[in-house]
Amino acid sequence: NSINLLEKIKAQKDNELIVFTTFVFDPLFFDSYLLKTIMDKNPKASILILIDPKTYNQNIKESTEETGNSYALIPISGNLFHSKIFLFLSEKQNQVFLGSHNLTHAGLTHNLELSFESNSDNVIHDCIRYIHTLLEVNLAPENPYLKKINTFYDIDIKNSVLIDNLEKPILEQTINKIIENKKSISEIVVFAPYYSHVDRILDKINTKLNPNLIKLCIQKDNHNLDIKNLDRFDNLKYFEINPINQNRRMHSKFIVFKTQETNYILIGSPNFTKRALLDTKNDGNFESALLINKNFSEFISNNLEIKPLSQDEIKISQRETNDEESIQIKNSMISFAYVNENNQLVIEYDSKIKKEIQVELLDSKLNIIESFAEILNIGKYSLIIKHKSEFLKSVKFTFENQDLSNIIRICNPSKQKTQRKYDFSDDETIRNSIEQDLEIEEIIHQCNALFAYGTEDNFADNPGVKGEKITYSESEPVEGRRHSKILKKSIISIKLNKPSNPKKPNGSSKNSTKSKEKTIQESIQESI
């Protein structure tokens, strides 16, 4: 009943296509900690990350050299993209992890998430169909990544294992599946970090299933449940739920439908909200879920404890909500950009206007390195541009020096420098590695891998590594907003012991060596 999802991802090998769908994406964590392992173990794999377009825009300044360049980072147009599916495909084996987890450090290590692991052909193909549908809408027909997933997609197979809301609401499909099995529901148990329009959802459940009891469960200080309009539900009770003997934030989402014979559990990305359960993707979020048979009592007794909660306790344990509007997508949206086999830049876009604009190619610091005048047409089109620079990382459209589109990272895996695996076994090895890497970006990657995403065990088990322990202040999570951890200290003091017999370069003086060491130390601290 318990898995280490991070280790599961790192153990995947010999895949030809790897797809992650996520609402929030942590590029620093993925690029510095996971990417090298995934590429080493899956050297022939195409890597796609499908992400919400608004969080894509919010993350753009946190990109590393590899973000969206060594792999395809694709914003999914429309409403909030909240689906969470990790899919690994090859001719010999397939694997999927579907649940509540985002592709972030917190989602894979700190939060308590609920995931479903499967290599079932039905589940796998439903996930392929779902992702293929998303890419078909967002990418041009000649896009190489769409062609890649086409090789795994069989249009003749019709499954209905995966429950998504591309065409029908998730709650409606779930209820219909239960009714088809002619099961009488005695009790329903709900847990989610986010709630909205709960009365409308309960009305739907009571009308269709008429359960004897509905338990709404929350984790204190990790919910936004408003109970003002819920007094009219006689079969409703409130409970607190927490991990057994753990102090972890629960990001899981589940609805349990209990019968005399069996339990049905809806798990996946949907919170207990109107946009997740009652709407399709046209009016609500993009969501994905599975309805599985599982002994709920066993599931709870092994992992969670539940106890009754008063209405007053619910009211005083609500977190503050943030109603700030998300970044709005521009009239012209760049859906994807990549370098083709002829070394031409292909920019796929969807525009609501026809206008002569400037195409601006940007470096890793978002500085303009090339600019071209082009005409946008209304609708979905592709621009093909001959570029000169080897340092292009992103692209955007502007008009009269004002941004007209979003910024998109340019996918060009063939030109990327592959990160090395770093050896942190002792101080001298670290020092030699840093001195060999003259580019500050490589030094930053080393520091990220060594300090920013380690655990306390890294320090306890590695006496050669000396550094101040990192502490975090955690911002309150809000539905539809990025949840991040912020360093309380702005600079990490990295202390590397000087080797007893350092090797001096030929022709170098003692003073010049000290000067070089000082410059490296200062650069590391300033960069972090």
Side-chain angles (χ1 to χ4, degrees), residues 86-293:
F86 297 175
L87 185 61
F88 300 84
L89 301 175
S90 70
E91 290 186 359
K92 296 181 179 179
Q93 59 186 12
N94 297 312
Q95 190 78 29
V96 66
F97 302 92
L98 183 149
S100 59
H101 41 74
N102 285 301
L103 190 57
T104 63
H105 183 227
L108 298 183
T109 61
H110 296 329
N111 296 341
L112 190 64
E113 308 279 359
L114 188 58
S115 302
F116 183 81
E117 176 186 5
S118 178
N119 57 9
S120 159
D121 289 342
N122 286 346
V123 177
I124 294 290
H125 189 270
D126 264 14
C127 291
I128 293 173
R129 173 192 54 78
Y130 176 68
I131 292 167
H132 179 273
T133 302
L134 296 173
L135 293 180
E136 199 171 32
V137 171
N138 285 269
L139 301 180
E142 65 275 10
N143 186 286
Y145 292 96
L146 181 56
K147 290 180 179 179
K148 184 73 174 180
I149 199 168
N150 275 337
T151 62
F152 294 94
Y153 178 53
D154 189 341
I155 195 172
D156 295 326
I157 299 179
K158 305 292 183 182
N159 296 322
S160 58
V161 180
L162 181 72
I163 302 177
D164 62 61
N165 62 341
L166 294 181
E167 297 180 358
K168 296 180 180 179
I170 284 179
L171 185 60
E172 175 187 328
Q173 296 178 71
T174 302
I175 290 174
N176 288 341
K177 283 178 177 288
I178 294 172
I179 293 175
E180 284 172 7
N181 290 320
K182 298 180 181 180
K183 300 296 182 181
S184 176
I185 302 300
S186 58
E187 181 180 308
I188 293 177
V189 183
V190 176
F191 176 82
Y194 304 101
Y195 293 83
S196 79
H197 297 86
V198 174
D199 54 338
R200 293 183 57 180
I201 301 174
L202 294 179
D203 279 334
K204 181 86 170 179
I205 289 174
N206 280 322
T207 301
K208 295 290 186 178
L209 297 176
N210 192 28
N212 299 327
L213 176 63
I214 299 177
K215 296 180 178 179
L216 282 190
C217 304
I218 57 100
Q219 186 181 37
K220 287 182 178 178
D221 304 319
N222 181 31
H223 75 95
N224 66 338
L225 177 60
D226 186 350
I227 60 175
K228 280 188 301 187
N229 302 320
L230 304 183
D231 291 341
R232 62 187 175 89
F233 295 99
D234 296 331
N235 61 345
L236 181 62
K237 292 187 178 180
Y238 305 105
F239 291 80
E240 178 185 5
I241 192 167
N242 281 300
I244 295 176
N245 300 322
Q246 295 184 54
N247 183 23
R248 296 174 68 183
R249 174 180 177 256
M250 289 186 61
H251 190 249
S252 313
K253 305 99 164 48
F254 59 80
I255 306 176
V256 182
F257 303 87
K258 302 180 74 172
T259 73
Q260 295 295 328
E261 302 86 8
T262 186
N263 300 154
Y264 297 97
I265 308 180
L266 182 74
I267 68 168
S269 64
N271 285 293
F272 205 72
T273 66
K274 172 181 175 294
R275 291 177 61 86
L277 294 174
L278 299 183
D279 294 336
T280 67
K281 54 92 175 174
N282 296 325
D283 302 309
N285 305 339
F286 287 84
E287 305 281 2
S288 54
L290 287 170
L291 188 66
I292 63 174
N293 287 100

Side-chain angles (χ1 to χ4, degrees), residues 426-440:
D426 56 63
D427 289 351
E428 186 170 1
T429 303
I430 297 172
R431 179 184 299 278
N432 292 338
S433 179
I434 288 178
E435 288 180 350
Q436 290 168 8
D437 289 316
L438 301 181
E439 294 184 17
I440 194 65

Side-chain angles (χ1 to χ4, degrees), residues 445-462:
H445 278 304
Q446 293 193 43
C447 295
N448 287 334
L450 174 59
F451 291 96
Y453 298 108
T455 64
E456 292 184 14
D457 293 336
N458 291 138
F459 294 98
D461 298 338
N462 204 342

